[in-house]
Amino acid sequence: MSKEEIFIGAIDQGTTSSRFIIYDQKARPIGSHQVEFTQFYPEAGWVEHDAVEILESVKVCMAKALDKATADGHNVDSGLKAIGLTNQRETTLIWSKSTGSPLYNAIVWMDARTSSVCRFSSSCFCLFVVSCQHYVILIVMEIEDLGYFWDLINTLFLDGINLNWNQKSFLNMGKLEKELSGGRTHFVETCGLPISTYFSAMKLIWLMENVDPVKQAIKSGDAMFGTMDTWLIWNLTGGVNGGLHVTDVSNASRTMLMNLKTLDWDKHTLETLGIPAEILPKIVSNSEVIGKIGKGWPITGIPISGCLGDQHAAMLGQACRKGEAKSTYGTGAFILLNTGEEIVQSKHGLLSTLAYKLGPEAPTNYALEGSIAIAGAAVQWLRDSLGIIATANDIEGLASQVDSTGGVYFVPAFNGLFAPWWRDDARGIVIGITRFTSKAHIARAVLESMCFQVNDVLDSMQKDAMEKGQKTHFVLRVDGGATVNNLLMQIQADLLGSPVVRPADIETTALGAAYAAGLAVGVWKEEEIFASGEKAKTSTRFKPALEEQLRKRKAESWCRAVERTFDLADLSL
């Protein structure tokens, strides 16, 4: 009698596409399907997704992957034991509890519409009305010192001037000023994150302040907030018919609202920002049975038992233990260093975040993260906006036509710069152009920009590690779609000055979600998952070939180019 086949499925809901991959018991993919979905750019710096289109893309991927695996002779229907889920992080959505419909498009993680909110969050701006005899004056005032401001108020009252304002609004703003004495880093101690356009809290505040259906739904108790994992799980488990409103610790850690120590929503932060706790999902671990898939999906009754944000899933897929780092090259690039059970506060522009928590009672692993907004997206820009290449894969051949950029540097600060710079006022530039410059030089400069940004983050990680008395050299494990580009990987090794290791299966994000799901239902044990990182005999290692002196000169030139991008957000169109 043949042994029963065992399978684990993984939903990988990314920034530009969704996919579903089915793995066998040896964690080998036996069926997969991928669907791209629409990117919306309603204004400069704004990026949105249609959440319903994303749901449909996931349904199609599940059905097609099942069909492919079945056609290859695998009995997935009876052997599928669980589903894991991984997703683009920070992307923010509010929907109606009663109808299940989104109240606005999902605001994507790279969206920069909240930059003005973030810039002014360290001071209080108040709009109020002053009426004096026959005149009514509207005053917008930046309040840096509330004590001085109240003295001014008292003086005006003594002079017989009547001030009228929305008391609730003013008190909230006054409270906000008191709470945000730390400016951009005010919440770092609790959530590990600076105030930035990147994180969900700022996007949620924008929705609450600017979208009438959201305001009404919150007032009536009909609003539900979530990142894309929450939206998917709610719909997978029934939607309006009893769907589960949950998120996991890794996704919650990217909202700016979760306390890294308690792993729960931080009441003080919610009160400071005016966000009602009632709209937030329950927080669960990365590996536990959350619920079962309901009717209306290609598979039903299967437990959802793993959920991680995409970069945390990649850490697990790469089997990164304490002291090990990985870099995922996708739309953006994300470098995480596992710091074990210790929360490390960076002094060099990195984020403190969750790595993973593999069960309700399991220890929590934390990480330092450097997030880069534009990596593979710059290649898409060359293809879709400039027409320099026809497909993303064409960039390797084009860039290979030259052996250097010819002095050209490209800084893809399309919507600002993330780690370690954190400049939302930065904008993209190409400098060093001469009559000698060709599209091949531009293409190579785009590849180099991805690698330079990764170097900046790794340099910050090394500085933080050195100050902690830890090892300062990390073997960089890489993954993500862009890593199929051998030239990119060689440039990364050259500019880094140390080897880069690429696994045979570069889709480690989906693999990490599958590992978490399989662990929860007993398909794998934790020691098996982490042993897999040591068994990577088919990995490809790229060794540096660039002279050290030239590498340092190029790094210095890159930093000069980055500095040229600052304070460009207000350029006239």
Side-chain angles (χ1 to χ4, degrees), residues 27 33 79 111-112 123 143 153 159 192 195 228 233 256 264 277 378 390 396 418-419 446 525 547:
H33 192 74
D111 183 285
S123 59
I143 307 167
I153 293 294
D159 288 343
I195 296 171
M228 296 315 297
I233 292 172
M256 223 175 79
D264 202 355
E396 183 172 6
F418 286 177
V446 167
K525 296 180 180 179
E547 292 182 3

Side-chain angles (χ1 to χ4, degrees), residues 298-492:
I299 48 179
T300 59
I302 303 298
I304 302 169
S305 57
C307 183
L308 308 92
D310 50 11
Q311 304 314 316
H312 314 268
M315 279 202 92
L316 185 57
Q318 288 268 36
C320 287
R321 296 172 175 157
K322 181 179 179 180
E324 296 177 332
K326 70 88 197 172
S327 179
T328 299
Y329 300 74
T331 303
F334 305 88
I335 306 92
L336 277 81
L337 169 68
N338 189 328
T339 61
E341 297 179 41
E342 179 186 8
I343 300 173
V344 176
Q345 298 290 355
S346 174
K347 297 180 180 178
H348 300 282
L350 303 182
L351 310 175
S352 301
T353 192
L354 259 288
Y356 43 72
K357 180 180 176 65
L358 301 178
E361 305 303 322
T364 303
N365 271 237
Y366 294 94
L368 278 176
E369 174 174 344
S371 305
I372 295 164
I374 303 296
V379 178
Q380 295 172 331
W381 176 71
L382 286 184
R383 180 193 66 191
D384 301 335
S385 298
L386 300 189
I388 288 179
I389 52 177
T391 70
N393 291 335
D394 292 344
I395 191 170
E396 183 172 6
L398 179 60
S400 296
Q401 293 176 12
V402 292
D403 58 8
S404 75
T405 65
V408 173
Y409 287 84
F410 169 67
V411 186
F414 294 162
N415 293 329
L417 289 170
F418 286 177
W421 307 97
W422 298 109
R423 295 293 297 248
D424 56 37
D425 62 341
R427 289 298 180 266
I429 63 168
V430 182
I431 62 173
I433 298 174
T434 67
R435 286 292 300 271
F436 174 69
T437 302
S438 69
K439 61 183 180 180
H441 293 109
I442 300 294
R444 194 174 184 104
V446 167
L447 294 184
E448 283 198 359
S449 75
M450 296 163 67
C451 301
F452 276 125
Q453 290 181 94
V454 171
N455 283 11
D456 290 341
V457 170
L458 287 171
D459 182 56
S460 292
M461 282 185 175
Q462 289 168 349
K463 290 176 181 176
D464 281 325
M466 186 180 300
E467 291 171 5
K468 279 282 184 180
Q470 300 171 353
K471 68 176 184 178
T472 59
H473 181 75
F474 316 111
V475 174
L476 185 64
R477 303 179 184 185
V478 299
D479 57 72
T483 61
V484 297
N485 187 322
N486 289 326
L487 177 59
L488 175 67
M489 294 295 96
Q490 185 57 54
I491 291 173
Q492 185 67 83

Side-chain angles (χ1 to χ4, degrees), residues 39-49 104-106 111 113 206:
Q39 308 291 309
F40 296 95
Y41 307 99
E43 295 186 26
W46 293 29
V47 190
E48 298 177 357
H49 289 160
Y104 190 83
N105 276 344
D111 183 285
R113 74 186 67 191
W206 187 92

Side-chain angles (χ1 to χ4, degrees), residues 148-181:
Y148 169 79
F149 181 68
W150 286 117
D151 288 341
L152 174 62
I153 293 294
N154 291 331
T155 301
L156 291 172
F157 273 122
L158 289 172
D159 288 343
I161 299 175
N162 178 32
L163 272 69
N164 301 292
W165 60 76
N166 182 313
Q167 185 176 12
K168 182 178 178 182
S169 228
F170 178 78
L171 290 176
N172 282 344
M173 297 185 95
K175 183 176 182 180
L176 187 63
E177 162 64 12
K178 289 181 181 178
E179 298 299 333
L180 299 192
S181 56

Side-chain angles (χ1 to χ4, degrees), residues 141-355:
M141 187 172 196
E142 181 177 9
I143 307 167
E144 301 261 346
D145 183 341
L146 278 181
Y148 169 79
F149 181 68
W150 286 117
D151 288 341
L152 174 62
I153 293 294
N154 291 331
T155 301
L156 291 172
F157 273 122
L158 289 172
D159 288 343
I161 299 175
N162 178 32
L163 272 69
N164 301 292
W165 60 76
N166 182 313
Q167 185 176 12
K168 182 178 178 182
S169 228
F170 178 78
L171 290 176
N172 282 344
M173 297 185 95
K175 183 176 182 180
L176 187 63
E177 162 64 12
K178 289 181 181 178
E179 298 299 333
L180 299 192
S181 56
R184 181 181 290 271
T185 62
H186 178 78
F187 298 109
V188 165
E189 189 64 30
T190 54
C191 71
L193 310 175
I195 296 171
S196 168
T197 62
Y198 184 17
F199 307 113
S200 306
M202 294 296 108
K203 304 176 196 301
L204 174 54
I205 290 172
W206 187 92
L207 288 166
M208 291 168 57
E209 292 180 349
N210 294 278
V211 181
D212 287 337
V214 170
K215 296 178 186 178
Q216 294 162 7
I218 290 176
K219 186 176 181 180
S220 66
D222 190 44
M224 303 184 89
F225 158 81
T227 42
M228 296 315 297
D229 57 309
T230 304
W231 168 245
L232 287 171
I233 292 172
W234 188 76
N235 281 281
L236 283 163
T237 57
V240 294
N241 298 311
L244 299 173
H245 191 213
V246 301
T247 188
D248 74 90
V249 287
S250 65
N251 276 295
S253 75
R254 311 298 297 182
T255 61
M256 223 175 79
L257 302 175
M258 190 190 83
N259 188 302
L260 282 180
K261 296 175 182 176
T262 66
L263 305 185
D264 202 355
W265 302 119
D266 190 77
K267 184 178 179 181
H268 189 64
T269 301
L270 296 179
E271 290 176 350
T272 301
L273 297 177
I275 294 173
E278 296 76 24
I279 70 174
L280 304 179
K282 175 185 176 183
I283 301 175
V284 300
S285 76
N286 299 122
S287 182
E288 63 179 271
V289 176
I290 298 169
K292 292 186 178 181
I293 299 177
K295 296 178 181 178
W297 292 86
I299 48 179
T300 59
I302 303 298
I304 302 169
S305 57
C307 183
L308 308 92
D310 50 11
Q311 304 314 316
H312 314 268
M315 279 202 92
L316 185 57
Q318 288 268 36
C320 287
R321 296 172 175 157
K322 181 179 179 180
E324 296 177 332
K326 70 88 197 172
S327 179
T328 299
Y329 300 74
T331 303
F334 305 88
I335 306 92
L336 277 81
L337 169 68
N338 189 328
T339 61
E341 297 179 41
E342 179 186 8
I343 300 173
V344 176
Q345 298 290 355
S346 174
K347 297 180 180 178
H348 300 282
L350 303 182
L351 310 175
S352 301
T353 192
L354 259 288

